[in-house]
Amino acid sequence: MGDFSNDSSRPHDATLRFGYESPGRARVVARAVAREVGEIDGDRSAATVERDGDSVVVRVVADDLVALRAGCNTWGSLVEVAERTSELA
């Protein structure tokens, strides 16, 4: 769901980890959010989404701190919407 583990061109990064009651719930949220990888990346930031057991891990990389903050806010909001939506299903 995206890989930039060796992306030294973007000096700022943040890792957001969201824990769930089960790996199944984490899978549903990760799948919903991962669809946005590559679609909403900007010129100054990018993100990856992975599931790690009962957690969803979003890694945001950015050229500067303003872009990093914006990316973290965006991805946090996307995860929140996916959580609410999956609760209704």
Side-chain angles (χ1 to χ4, degrees), residues 29-48:
V29 172
R31 284 182 183 165
V33 174
R35 295 172 186 217
E36 302 300 330
V37 171
E39 295 296 319
I40 62 171
D41 291 343
D43 292 338
R44 297 172 25 218
S45 67
T48 61

Side-chain angles (χ1 to χ4, degrees), residues 44-62:
R44 297 172 25 218
S45 67
T48 61
V49 176
E50 297 178 353
R51 185 180 63 84
D52 180 17
D54 61 356
S55 296
V56 174
V57 180
V58 179
R59 181 167 176 242
V60 181
V61 295

Side-chain angles (χ1 to χ4, degrees), residues 4-78:
F4 41 70
S5 55
N6 295 320
D7 188 354
S8 60
S9 65
R10 299 190 189 256
H12 303 283
D13 68 271
T15 301
L16 310 173
R17 180 177 290 271
F18 304 90
Y20 299 95
E21 65 276 358
S22 70
R25 178 81 194 280
R27 186 178 305 109
V28 168
V29 172
R31 284 182 183 165
V33 174
R35 295 172 186 217
E36 302 300 330
V37 171
E39 295 296 319
I40 62 171
D41 291 343
D43 292 338
R44 297 172 25 218
S45 67
T48 61
V49 176
E50 297 178 353
R51 185 180 63 84
D52 180 17
D54 61 356
S55 296
V56 174
V57 180
V58 179
R59 181 167 176 242
V60 181
V61 295
D63 294 342
D64 55 71
L65 293 175
V66 172
L68 182 65
R69 180 183 50 125
C72 288
N73 289 340
T74 297
W75 286 97
S77 295
L78 288 171

